[in-house]
Amino acid sequence: MRFDVLEPRSVQEAVDLLAARPEERRVVAGGTALIVFLKERAYTPEALVSLHRVPGLSGVEPEDGGLRIGAMTRLADVHRDARVRAECPVLAEATRVVANARIRAVATLGGNLCHADYHSDPPGVLLALGARVQVRGPAGERDIPIAEFYRDFYETSLRPGEIAVAIRIPGSPLARTGVYQRHMYSARDDWPCLGVTALAEVDETCRTLRLALAGVANRPLRLTWVEEQAVGRRADAALAAALADLAAEGVDPISDLKGPDWYKKEMVRVCVAEAIERAFERARPAGRRE
Ligand SMILES: Cc1cc2nc3c(=O)[nH]c(=O)nc-3n(C[C@H](O)[C@H](O)[C@H](O)COP(=O)(O)OP(=O)(O)OC[C@H]3O[C@@H](n4cnc5c(N)ncnc54)[C@H](O)[C@@H]3O)c2cc1C
């Protein structure tokens, strides 16, 4: 397959190049997912629009009490970043377990989100954190909440000619603790069968719980019906197990190469209980143990 590689020097130039022929051109970031799709001829673009020479798309900055992470920030740089580790350790945890060191050194956070694979580790975490994707396109700039970013398998709500420029994570006490736990069906550096994010605020009882799953539906799933049942109840292992039962009963997992539906349902029960219990533990004020 032959294609050109275009190398714009600004976000506006990248948008213009894409918008000129949106059906025939594709953004390339790290290329780790795109190359696989090109080899399988799932995409046959006439040109790739590379973001590598566009300044200002990489790095982690504080923003309104939260964090702004450039779309071209490599996964390895996300999990190594001191601000991410301090203010959003659950994202550091999720980016550190993606694939293997070779992929993490090249793949970008924006590419991971825009690839929209339902097994991906970071999107569920960003959903639980209430993050937004900042995008630029022919009609200007807009923010898309992660909850609205995913449409279907490998499909986002990006419009033709739009590119993701950054991920915005609001500041919140919930972001400072939290747990990301993945269940592997096969090798450790493969895609996960299941990814569980649990964020909690705890005093005597559970004040807030946020729970998201990857790998069970066509896009990351927030388990609001479980979250609501947690509030005001004693934050202990018994509650974690009861909530995990609710989670397992409420999901209808997809069967795939990572496991059949019935297996994933049981793994939701096991992994959600463990993730919530650990999230309660991490969120508990220092010195207080159950
Ligand atoms: C062997 C292997 C194992 C993997 N295991 C895991 C895993 O365990 N967990 C996990 O989460 N991921 C896993 N991945 C996926 C990996 O994280 C993705 O390949 C990667 O994040 C994509 O990032 P990239 O920068 O390479 O994107 P690219 O491959 O360059 O692009 C991916 C897609 O996003 C689009 N795109 C990229 N950047 C932008 C942008 N800024 N704006 C608009 N569109 C954009 C591209 O057009 C393309 O469609 C694995 C990949 C491989 C190859």
Side-chain angles (χ1 to χ4, degrees):
M1 184 194 307
R2 292 181 64 85
F3 50 79
D4 292 327
V5 178
L6 308 175
E7 295 192 309
R9 306 298 162 119
S10 70
V11 173
Q12 190 57 50
E13 194 190 342
V15 167
D16 291 343
L17 286 170
L18 274 177
R21 305 187 69 144
E23 301 301 321
E24 286 85 31
R25 293 179 179 174
R26 270 205 102 85
V27 173
V28 61
T32 56
L34 186 65
I35 294 303
V36 176
F37 275 48
L38 293 178
K39 281 185 177 164
E40 290 171 355
R41 298 194 174 263
Y43 305 139
T44 50
E46 58 140 50
L48 300 183
V49 177
S50 166
L51 299 182
H52 283 269
R53 293 182 187 272
V54 176
L57 291 182
S58 290
V60 180
E61 300 293 336
E63 184 184 72
D64 300 334
L67 296 176
R68 180 182 184 279
I69 305 179
M72 285 295 283
T73 311
R74 294 189 174 98
L75 297 176
D77 294 328
V78 175
H79 80 73
R80 283 196 203 111
D81 186 87
R83 279 201 185 97
V84 174
R85 288 186 174 189
E87 293 169 39
C88 204
V90 65
L91 182 62
E93 206 166 317
T95 44
R96 196 179 53 232
V97 294
V98 168
N100 54 51
R102 192 169 58 91
I103 299 268
R104 292 192 296 271
V106 177
T108 64
L109 187 59
N112 183 282
L113 298 192
C114 294
H115 183 49
D117 188 303
Y118 67 101
H119 292 105
S120 287
D121 295 285
V125 174
L126 293 166
L127 176 67
L129 288 166
R132 290 166 293 139
V133 183
Q134 183 189 358
V135 308
R136 270 274 290 280
E141 201 162 285
R142 65 186 181 120
D143 272 12
I144 312 174
I146 291 282
E148 294 163 24
F149 189 68
Y150 293 100
R151 285 261 166 83
D152 205 343
F153 299 100
Y154 305 105
E155 197 183 316
T156 69
S157 51
L158 285 175
R159 296 177 187 141
E162 279 186 332
I163 62 171
V165 294
I167 293 85
R168 293 177 147 153
I169 304 171
S172 150
L174 274 173
R176 301 221 174 81
T177 62
V179 166
Y180 180 70
Q181 182 162 326
R182 66 194 327 229
H183 172 63
M184 304 303 293
Y185 186 68
S186 49
R188 200 175 63 87
D189 63 354
D190 192 7
W191 295 82
C193 162
L194 186 70
V196 184
T197 307
L199 311 180
E201 273 185 289
V202 165
D203 46 30
E204 295 298 319
T205 61
C206 174
R207 285 171 53 199
T208 318
L209 178 69
R210 295 223 195 125
L211 205 54
L213 293 182
V216 294
N218 58 352
R219 50 191 164 170
L221 195 64
R222 178 114 175 247
L223 277 58
T224 48
W225 72 94
V226 180
E227 297 172 0
E228 286 157 9
Q229 295 302 316
V231 179
R233 294 170 67 181
R234 190 181 159 89
D236 58 12
L239 177 60
L243 295 173
D245 284 342
L246 275 180
E249 282 152 23
V251 295
D252 188 12
I254 295 169
S255 290
D256 58 23
L257 292 173
K258 308 291 170 216
D261 50 0
W262 62 266
Y263 173 79
K264 287 192 181 182
K265 215 177 201 1
E266 285 316 304
M267 287 304 107
V268 166
R269 201 183 306 279
V270 172
C271 297
V272 166
E274 209 172 303
I276 295 178
E277 199 181 337
R278 287 174 57 212
F280 286 163
E281 204 53 48
R282 284 190 184 172
R284 205 157 270 130
R288 287 245 317 274
R289 288 282 166 266
E290 265 301 305

